[in-house]
């Protein structure tokens, strides 16, 4: 059988719902009249499982209604998310300037076009722009990092 | 005080030089970011939000209102010129607007969109000024059951209007509800779903999710696509002013769209989207040449754009009077209010009259500035569409990342945005619409809170939601929508409209 988008999303929903219900068991349940912190998440999680399973069944019964996933854009996905996380770490450890430089350079690897000169120009312009807008114009106290 | 006196108070606030400047700045920045392909109004506002945090409350709200209009109009520009609707409500604009652009009438389409928006915006603002105060009186009588049912209805409406299956839409909303529960439980003090991470105790910042889900995920998808294949009609934007014939054809659709939008906008959940679809269907049905629709009928731009804008306007009514965000965009604006130390709700009008009426007055001014700014500047926005994507996405990235960081000075927030970017990417790949998810995050905690309170009142009897008449009415609307969508004929119409949009 072909794994379609709706089969996959149904499965992910079911897993998510199951995780929610399981985790919610660590919190006090209470009663309907006096709900504890676990009551509502359990309820919602159970509903998610129910709807997820319904979607799986529908996907199996009529597989033609949904198509399989075409392709994953793994390269841009990886570099873009890495760039953002590296920005986060650099920003809090060092400061704005190195963080923005790292962000642009790594994010640039996500696209294959453009040359080094263009990259340098972009780094210079955007770093200056970020400092100008956020630190000087908006007066947000961010450390610069140099 | 009467409405007129209040409006004078509002204008005296909004027309101060500084506030006028903030409004102008907001409109300009909003259009500037909003016009970027793949950046919808939600992301535009999320990106620009931190810029308002250092302003005084009135200035911040006025600038935000400006950003809001600018972003919406920027979104329509992209929809018309590039056929890339930034959000569900401008999807309809793209159908005929893009066809007009292909025929060299992009200028007229853009101008009609602006004029329609202006008229609808002004009428919508008058409606807010008239109806928000009495509605907030009514809202003061709402108890937990009413709030619960209202929000449940909002969630179901937004879930049922996305494209794809109803089942999937509702599940997405529920996933959002669970994510919204992350953090400390106010009733018991229990830490829920925090995975032992201290930074999650306060919950997930909504703008962080929006940024990851919309900005980052969309960038990844766009980068993966080959750059060729998308026609941008930029050279043909000339003859900006609509002809006399255009005006003659469109003044009725504009007024009808405004009426439809004003009424539907008050519905929390998906007022704007339904409004623009409803207006399109109405114009198509009333038209003597329905065959023109889909091939560049100017009525198909004027009506939905007006409806969209009127709904965007009246959506402020539940947001300001009930403190319930009708759309994710409204949720961002509410968040901004909270940061300014103002808790939205029925008491805002009484406690902060200068803020409330100042905001209303600045809506007028924002609408006027929008038209004044955009008719002459449309050439610049169009030129921006020619900028290659590889230059645009780093700008969006830097603005988003520094913006998120500067809200709480938290590296965790930025990393969370990356995580939601991954999640958003998976959603895109699985054809799961993120809109109900995001509304679920916003409404989830409020739904739980009111459910608990109502059930406490009734000692565990769920019939309380049916016994309170207003609550029962909300639930009835939700049920009618659910049942209607299960009926094959209605579902087919919905699919027809929504499919034609995504292919067209």
């Amino acid at each position: 059988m072909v794994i379609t988008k709706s089969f996959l999303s149904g499965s992910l929903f079911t897993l998510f719902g199951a995780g929610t219900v399981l985790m919610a068991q660590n919190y006090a349940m209470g009663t309907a009249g006096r709900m504890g912190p676990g009551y509502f998440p359990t309820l919602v999680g159970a509903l998610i499982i129910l709807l997820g399973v319904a979607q799986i069944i529908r996907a199996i019964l009529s597989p033609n209604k949904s198509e399989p996933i075409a392709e994953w854009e793994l390269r841009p996905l990886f570099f873009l998310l890495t760039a953002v996380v590296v920005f986060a770490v650099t920003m809090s450890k060092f400061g704005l300037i190195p963080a923005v430089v790292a962000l642009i350079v790594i994010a640039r690897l996500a696209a294959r076009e453009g040359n080094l000169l263009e990259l340098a120009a972009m780094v210079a312009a955007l770093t200056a722009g970020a400092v100008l807008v956020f630190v000087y114009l908006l007066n947000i106290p961010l450390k610069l990092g140099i | 005080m009467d409405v007129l006196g209040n409006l004078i108070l509002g204008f005296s606030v909004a027309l101060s030089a500084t506030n006028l400047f903030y409004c102008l700045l907001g409109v300009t920045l909003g259009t500037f970011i909003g016009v970027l392909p793949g950046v919808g109004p939600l992301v535009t506002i999320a990106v620009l939000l931190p810029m308002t945090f250092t302003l005084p409350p009135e200035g911040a709200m006025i600038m935000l209102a400006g950003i809001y209009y600018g972003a919406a109009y920027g979104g329509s520009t992209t929809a018309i010129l590039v056929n890339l609707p930034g959000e569900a409500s401008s999807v309809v604009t793209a159908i005929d607007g893009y066809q007009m652009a292909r025929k060299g009438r992009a200028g007229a389409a853009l101008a009609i969109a602006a004029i329609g928006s202006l008229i609808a915006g002004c009428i919508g603002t008058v409606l807010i000024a008239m109806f928000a105060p009495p509605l907030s009186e009514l809202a003061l009588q709402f108890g937990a059951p009413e709030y619960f049912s209202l929000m449940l209805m909002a969630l179901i409406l937004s879930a049922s209007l996305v494209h794809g299956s109803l089942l999937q839409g509702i599940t997405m909303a529920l996933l959002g509800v669970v994510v919204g529960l992350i953090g400390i439980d106010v009733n018991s003090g229990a830490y829920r779903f925090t995975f032992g991470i201290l930074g999650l105790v306060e919950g997930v910042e909504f703008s962080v999710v929006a940024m990851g889900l919309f900005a980052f995920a969309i960038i990844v998808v766009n980068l993966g696509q080959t750059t060729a294949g998308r026609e941008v009609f930029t050279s043909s934007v000339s003859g900006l002013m609509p002809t006399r014939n255009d005006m003659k054809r469109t003044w009725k659709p504009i007024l009808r769209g405004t009426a439809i939008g004003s009424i539907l906008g008050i519905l929390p959940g998906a007022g704007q989207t339904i409004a623009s679809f409803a207006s399109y269907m109405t114009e198509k049905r009333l038209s003597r040449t329905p065959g023109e629709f889909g091939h560049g009928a100017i009525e198909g731009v004027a009506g939905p754009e007006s409806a969209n804008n009127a709904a965007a306007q009246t959506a402020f009514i539940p947001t300001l009077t009930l403190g319930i965000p009708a759309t994710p965009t409204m949720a961002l604006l509410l968040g901004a209010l909270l940061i300014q130390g103002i808790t939205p709700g029925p008491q805002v009008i009484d406690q902060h009259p200068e803020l409330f009426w100042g905001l209303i007055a600045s809506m007028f001014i924002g609408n006027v500035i929008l038209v004044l700014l955009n008719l002459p500047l449309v050439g610049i926005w169009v030129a921006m569409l020619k900028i290659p994507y590889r230059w645009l996405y780093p700008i969006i990235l830097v603005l988003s990342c520094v913006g998120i960081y500067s809200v709480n000075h938290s590296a965790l927030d930025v990393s969370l945005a990356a995580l939601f970017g991954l999640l958003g990417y998976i959603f895109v790949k699985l054809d799961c619409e993120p809109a109900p998810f995001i509304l679920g995050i916003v409404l989830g905690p409020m739904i739980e809170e009111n459910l608990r309170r109502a059930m406490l009142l009734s000692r565990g009897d769920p019939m309380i939601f049916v016994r309170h008449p207003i609550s029962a009415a909300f639930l009835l609307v939700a049920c009618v929508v659910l049942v209607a969508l299960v009926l094959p004929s209605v579902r087919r119409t919905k699919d027809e409209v929504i499919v034609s949009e995504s292919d067209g």
Side-chain angles (χ1 to χ4, degrees):
Chain A
M1 102 176 215
V2 191
I3 297 196
T4 57
K5 286 178 184 174
S6 70
F7 179 83
L8 247 163
S9 56
S11 318
L12 284 179
F13 291 157
T14 312
L15 275 177
F16 186 98
T20 307
V21 173
L22 276 180
M23 281 187 72
Q25 301 319 301
N26 298 325
Y27 319 127
M29 196 54 77
T31 61
R34 199 170 283 278
M35 293 183 189
Y39 198 101
F40 187 67
T42 308
L43 199 74
V44 177
L47 254 173
I48 295 176
I49 298 177
L50 211 72
L51 295 174
V53 170
Q55 203 174 314
I56 295 175
I57 294 173
R58 209 168 62 171
I60 293 175
L61 290 182
S62 53
N64 304 328
K65 276 198 177 159
S66 173
E67 66 241 52
I69 291 177
E71 63 186 295
W72 298 88
E73 287 92 1
L74 286 181
R75 182 191 162 101
L77 183 68
F78 175 78
F79 283 112
L80 199 91
L81 298 185
T82 311
V84 174
V85 175
V86 169
F87 168 87
V89 176
T90 321
M91 183 73 224
S92 61
K93 276 242 157 63
F94 302 102
L96 183 62
I97 294 174
V100 171
V101 173
L103 175 67
I104 301 170
V105 171
I106 302 175
R108 191 62 176 185
L109 294 169
R112 270 173 249 231
E113 305 156 85
N115 57 30
L116 269 180
L117 190 70
E118 197 183 285
L119 176 65
M122 189 180 281
V123 167
L126 283 180
T127 313
V131 172
L132 196 74
V133 170
F134 286 96
V135 180
Y136 290 101
L137 230 62
L138 298 172
N139 285 323
I140 297 169
L142 298 170
K143 55 181 174 184
L144 295 180
I146 41 167
Chain B
M1 260 202 284
D2 57 327
V3 171
L4 197 69
N6 284 323
L7 274 179
I8 291 171
L9 168 71
F11 274 103
S12 68
V13 173
L15 281 175
S16 77
T18 15
N19 286 341
L20 215 52
F21 169 73
Y22 289 140
C23 190
L24 182 69
L25 188 69
V27 171
T28 316
L29 285 174
T31 317
F32 179 77
I33 306 282
V35 93
L36 300 177
V39 181
L42 185 63
V43 177
T44 309
I45 294 172
V47 165
L48 295 175
L49 199 59
M51 305 201 166
T52 64
F53 290 166
T54 48
L55 305 180
E58 292 88 30
M61 280 321 283
I62 287 168
M63 180 164 163
L64 274 173
I67 293 173
Y68 182 62
Y69 296 124
Y73 188 72
S76 314
T77 309
T78 342
I80 290 171
L81 292 176
V82 207
N83 196 17
L84 259 185
E87 64 171 3
S89 51
S90 56
V91 151
V92 188
T93 311
I95 304 174
D96 277 282
Y98 184 65
Q99 293 304 325
M100 281 182 73
R102 289 185 66 175
K103 289 181 180 162
R105 304 220 55 217
L110 288 169
I112 276 296
I115 294 167
S117 297
L118 172 69
I119 296 172
C122 289
I123 296 178
T125 310
V126 173
L127 291 176
I128 301 179
M130 281 164 55
F131 289 111
L135 212 73
S136 77
E137 297 289 311
L138 180 72
L140 283 171
Q141 291 160 19
F142 276 22
E146 284 81 11
Y147 270 107
F148 171 81
S149 304
L150 178 63
M151 287 185 277
L152 194 68
M153 177 185 83
L155 215 53
I156 289 176
L157 285 184
S158 92
S160 49
L161 279 151
V162 297
H163 90 131
S165 74
L166 178 65
L167 205 59
Q168 194 161 301
I170 290 180
T171 325
M172 288 295 285
L174 292 175
L175 293 194
V177 169
V178 173
V179 173
L181 295 182
I182 291 175
I184 196 162
D185 168 39
V186 280
N187 287 324
S188 63
Y191 289 3
R192 291 188 292 182
F193 308 107
T194 54
F195 300 94
I197 301 169
L198 215 57
L200 284 179
V201 170
E202 296 280 312
V204 182
E205 194 85 45
F206 169 71
S207 53
V208 168
V209 183
M211 208 82 93
L213 227 49
F214 292 95
F216 295 167
I218 303 302
I219 291 178
V220 171
V221 173
N222 284 346
L223 283 176
Q225 286 167 350
T226 44
T227 38
R230 205 169 265 294
E231 284 177 281
V232 182
F233 293 97
T234 48
S235 49
S236 53
V237 183
S238 55
L240 196 60
M241 286 321 288
T243 61
R244 186 175 291 262
N245 183 33
D246 287 339
M247 293 309 292
K248 222 172 96 187
R249 283 175 65 179
T250 52
W251 70 271
K252 275 186 194 157
I254 287 176
L255 290 182
R256 276 194 292 262
T258 304
I260 293 171
S262 303
I263 296 165
L264 290 175
I266 304 171
L267 276 182
Q272 267 177 282
T273 315
I274 322 178
S276 51
F277 281 121
S279 164
Y280 190 77
M281 298 310 254
T282 311
E283 293 313 324
K284 194 172 174 178
R285 196 146 300 162
L286 289 177
S287 169
R288 268 184 232 136
T289 50
E292 247 182 72
F293 278 76
H295 301 282
I298 196 163
E299 295 92 335
V301 177
E305 269 300 291
S306 313
N308 183 3
N309 219 49
Q313 211 62 260
T314 50
F316 271 103
I317 295 178
T319 307
L320 289 172
T321 56
L322 302 173
I324 295 178
T327 60
T329 320
M330 286 294 154
L332 277 177
L333 295 179
L334 278 190
L337 272 179
L338 281 172
I339 285 173
Q340 298 287 353
I342 296 154
T343 314
Q347 71 290 346
V348 163
I349 302 179
D350 286 332
Q351 285 174 6
H352 304 277
E354 67 298 330
L355 179 96
F356 180 80
W357 294 101
L359 178 65
I360 292 199
S362 61
M363 289 174 182
F364 270 115
I365 298 168
N367 271 308
V368 174
I369 290 183
L370 188 72
V371 174
L372 291 182
L373 187 76
N374 280 311
L375 290 182
L377 285 189
V378 78
I380 295 179
W381 310 136
V382 167
M384 282 188 58
L385 291 173
K386 286 185 194 157
I387 302 174
Y389 197 68
R390 66 174 196 276
W391 294 0
L392 286 180
Y393 81 88
I395 302 178
I396 304 172
L397 265 183
V398 169
L399 277 174
S400 326
C401 288
V402 183
I404 300 171
Y405 185 84
S406 52
V407 177
N408 290 327
H409 289 249
S410 148
L412 179 72
D413 279 354
V414 183
S415 311
L416 274 177
L419 187 70
F420 279 101
L422 176 66
L423 190 67
Y425 179 73
I426 295 173
F427 285 163
V428 171
K429 285 284 126 179
L430 293 176
D431 288 343
C432 295
E433 284 282 333
F437 176 78
I438 210 137
L439 205 61
I441 294 180
V442 180
L443 296 181
M446 292 193 251
I447 290 182
E448 184 192 23
E449 180 62 31
N450 286 292
L451 174 70
R452 278 166 137 179
R453 251 189 245 159
M455 294 293 270
L456 193 65
L457 282 176
S458 71
R459 300 205 178 83
D461 178 11
M463 291 310 283
I464 185 171
F465 298 109
V466 192
R467 269 200 304 267
H468 286 232
I470 301 177
S471 156
F474 290 140
L475 290 179
L476 188 69
V477 172
C479 286
V480 168
V481 171
L482 280 180
V483 171
L485 279 174
V486 178
L487 296 176
S489 64
V490 179
R491 202 168 54 202
R492 219 174 307 121
T493 323
K494 175 195 149 195
D495 287 348
E496 229 168 69
V497 177
I498 299 182
V499 163
S500 65
E501 136 258 306
S502 47
D503 302 337

